């Protein structure tokens, strides 16, 4: 668990310190697009195919 936390913190810090060739607005826009695309994919898979029910509809008993 300690290794996981340490690796995560080091990875996040290295990404924040790394020089970037794109502007902040491009990073912000890309992040928003990815969140929107993930949400649309989750809703589509859940509503159309009911894939998040794990083979049964509704809450497990």
């Amino acid at each position: 668990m300690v290794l996981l936390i340490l690796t995560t913190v080091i990875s996040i810090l290295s990404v924040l310190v790394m020089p970037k060739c794109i502007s902040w607005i491009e990073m912000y826009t890309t992040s928003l697009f990815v969140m929107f695309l993930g949400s649309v994919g989750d809703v589509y898979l859940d509503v159309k195919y009911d894939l998040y029910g794990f083979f049964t509809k509704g809450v497990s008993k």
Side-chain angles (χ1 to χ4, degrees):
M1 185 68 173
V2 173
L3 182 62
L4 175 67
I5 293 171
L6 187 64
T7 305
T8 304
V9 168
I10 290 173
S11 297
I12 290 173
L13 288 176
S14 66
V15 166
L16 291 176
V17 174
M18 186 183 305
K20 297 163 184 70
C21 297
I22 60 175
S23 67
W24 286 101
I25 191 70
E26 289 171 332
M27 287 189 280
Y28 184 70
T29 305
T30 303
S31 300
L32 286 177
F33 176 73
V34 167
M35 288 189 287
F36 173 74
L37 191 64
S39 297
V40 168
D42 286 342
V43 168
Y44 183 76
L45 291 174
D46 185 33
V47 172
K48 182 163 178 65
Y49 295 115
D50 195 32
L51 291 179
Y52 293 144
F54 297 107
F55 309 116
T56 58
K57 290 187 177 183
V59 179
S60 300
K61 293 181 182 181

